[in-house]
Each structure stands twice: as C-alpha cells, then as structure tokens.
Amino acid sequence: MEEDDLKYDELNLAEAKAIQNELRERTRIEPLQNEITTIAGADISLNRFSEVIFAGIVMLRYSDMQPIAYSMVESRTSFPYVPGFLAFREVPALVQALEQMSVKPDVIMVDGHGIAHPRRMGIAAHFGALTGMATMGCAKNILFGKWQEPGIQKGEFSPIMTKEEIIGYAFRSKLKTNPVFVSPGNKLSLQNSLDIMQRCSGSYRLPEPTRRAHDFVNLFRTGKLESGYHELNPTLLF
DNA sequence: GCGACAG
DNA sequence: ATCTTGTCGC
C-alpha cells in the first residue's frame, strides 16, 4: 500500500550512473515559464555516524524573502556520500518533504549542484527530473568544471566551464567571502539561475532560501520543530 | 597513472 | 554533513 517511496540504498555506483543517464533525458534547461511568487530552499541535516536523515523544504515569498511555510521529514539512508552521487543519499527524503506540501513553490533551490556535474545530473537536476519542479543548485564548493575567481564585489560572477560550454557560475554573494556555485537543475535557464541567485542574496554568503532551509532543518533535527507541513504568518500571506 | 572530489 | 574554542582579519 505504502511502497511508492524511492529506494536507492541497494544500488551500486554503476547502476546509479545508469539512472543518472536516464533521468538526464527528463531535464529541461530552458527559460522559466511563469513569474516567480514563491521560492523554496531544500536541505538535509544528519547526526554524525547516523543513518537517520532530516530533510526540510522552506518556502519563502519571493518579494521579500520571508518564510511562509515549511515541510520537515525524518527518514533513513544507507547510501554513502560519494562525490557525484549525492542525490542517491539525499533526494528520497527531499521528495517526501515535497510531497507533503499542499502548496508547491515556483522554484526550489537545492543545497548542491544542478548541471555543474560530470554527467549534468547534480542533486538539483535529479530532484527536478524526479518531481517535474523548476530547480537550481547552489553549492558551497566546486565539484566539476573550470572557473576563475570572480571579482571581490558582491554580485560579481564568472562562468564554470567544461571544455566547450558554460554549466554554471561562481557567484560572489558577499563582499570578501568565497563565492558560491550556482547552476540550473530543471525547467530554468543559466541566466535564470544567475538572476534568482542575485535576488536571493541577502546579508550572508548563502542565499536566503538555502540559509533558511539549513536553519529550519537543524531546528527540526534538534527537536525544536515538528515534522509535517506547516504554514506560518498567515496574516502576512500574499 | 595521479589528483580532485557537492553534502 | 557534524563535532567545537579560540582567533585572525576586516
């Protein structure tokens, strides 16, 4: 009855790679269709050495970056962290978190890469292919591709390149701090990912959706937030 | 063959 | 990712 959940734990890397190649056919890197009203940050949190994973999606109002809802899920993973295969460890829980949201965000910003990946299938692309949502990735470290240090001013950026194409950008989200790495995942373009990153940059290195998701999911992991879908500040809703 | 390597 | 105090720099 309740056996529709993703199960990646038993896969070996060859099988995982085959799945990435299949899912890549479902991704679309193209200009966003609709206007953005809400954006969400997606992140996970774990206790050291534990297979229990806490996943969270926090939805914010795009106009002022105020959190308006969040979805928290507690699950398990045995798939290890392997660079290039992060999605197989974290995506199942994120899918659960998304499924229980009665209102879906227009765009989801995932903590990790989009197409800036050896097979163009970073966790944001994988999540987008699976759910059909518009997604983009924002990572704190590079995984794949060549890049040059962008200018020191906030908002400056430089491309992440493969031998022949741009797959994302190193973006200076804060003065005198290391850049973050952004790339589209699904249903939005390279330019869209750059514009959205710009709009989501506040006073911290991490963009608001990702930063909020990280904060919320840690509160959840430490027992200060309940699981499930919750809306907040109903009075401030647009 | 060697080094790099999201969270 | 997570465990943690102080500390260096702006």
Side-chain angles (χ1 to χ4, degrees):
Chain A
M1 329 259 283
E2 187 55 57
E3 194 51 68
D4 290 42
D5 291 356
L6 289 179
K7 215 165 190 58
Y8 286 151
D9 290 352
E10 317 301 322
L11 299 175
N12 59 47
L13 295 187
E15 297 171 326
K17 187 176 294 186
I19 289 177
Q20 290 180 325
N21 289 330
E22 291 171 18
L23 286 177
R24 188 174 53 234
E25 305 304 311
R26 297 193 205 175
T27 62
R28 293 289 178 265
I29 303 304
E30 59 193 22
L32 253 178
Q33 293 302 306
N34 311 321
E35 189 178 313
I36 304 175
T37 300
T38 61
I39 185 165
D43 192 21
I44 63 95
S45 176
L46 316 90
N47 284 309
R48 194 141 84 147
F49 307 134
S50 171
E51 290 193 349
V52 175
I53 114 174
F54 300 85
I57 296 179
V58 177
M59 183 161 69
L60 332 193
R61 183 205 276 134
Y62 199 60
S63 62
D64 61 0
M65 292 296 138
Q66 284 307 301
I68 54 179
Y70 65 86
S71 174
M72 297 291 144
V73 162
E74 179 179 336
S75 186
R76 310 181 64 81
T77 344
S78 62
F79 199 100
Y81 166 65
V82 181
F85 298 89
L86 176 64
F88 294 88
R89 178 173 170 75
E90 303 189 351
V91 139
L94 289 181
V95 170
Q96 280 189 277
L98 178 66
E99 286 177 338
Q100 70 179 6
M101 296 180 81
S102 53
V103 179
K104 264 69 169 176
D106 296 321
V107 174
I108 301 178
M109 187 179 284
V110 183
D111 190 11
H113 290 100
I115 61 172
H117 176 281
R119 290 170 294 286
R120 309 296 182 274
M121 282 303 290
I123 186 169
H126 193 127
F127 189 40
L130 241 35
T131 63
M133 298 290 292
T135 63
M136 60 180 280
C138 175
K140 296 178 287 298
N141 296 92
I142 192 72
L143 168 68
F144 179 78
K146 294 296 185 183
W147 60 285
Q148 298 291 302
E149 197 68 45
I152 194 174
Q153 297 301 318
K154 177 178 180 177
E156 298 202 79
F157 61 90
S158 60
I160 299 174
M161 310 281 300
T162 64
K163 281 190 175 182
E164 64 285 303
E165 61 183 345
I166 297 176
I167 54 176
Y169 299 93
F171 184 87
R172 190 80 63 189
S173 51
K174 186 177 187 218
L175 185 67
K176 296 173 185 174
T177 62
N178 291 325
V180 291
F181 303 88
V182 304
S183 59
N186 188 40
K187 290 184 172 178
L188 56 81
S189 67
L190 278 160
Q191 185 61 49
N192 286 151
S193 69
L194 198 50
D195 294 340
I196 293 169
M197 173 56 62
Q198 179 72 268
R199 281 290 308 276
C200 294
S201 293
S203 308
Y204 304 85
R205 179 163 89 115
L206 295 183
E208 287 302 294
T210 298
R211 191 176 73 81
R212 293 295 202 173
H214 190 271
D215 287 346
F216 275 59
V217 77
N218 271 316
L219 287 174
F220 174 49
R221 178 174 60 83
T222 53
K224 295 157 190 164
L225 273 187
E226 310 215 333
S227 67
Y229 176 69
H230 305 275
E231 300 192 326
L232 23 154
N233 296 323
T235 157
L236 296 180
L237 284 182
F238 214 56

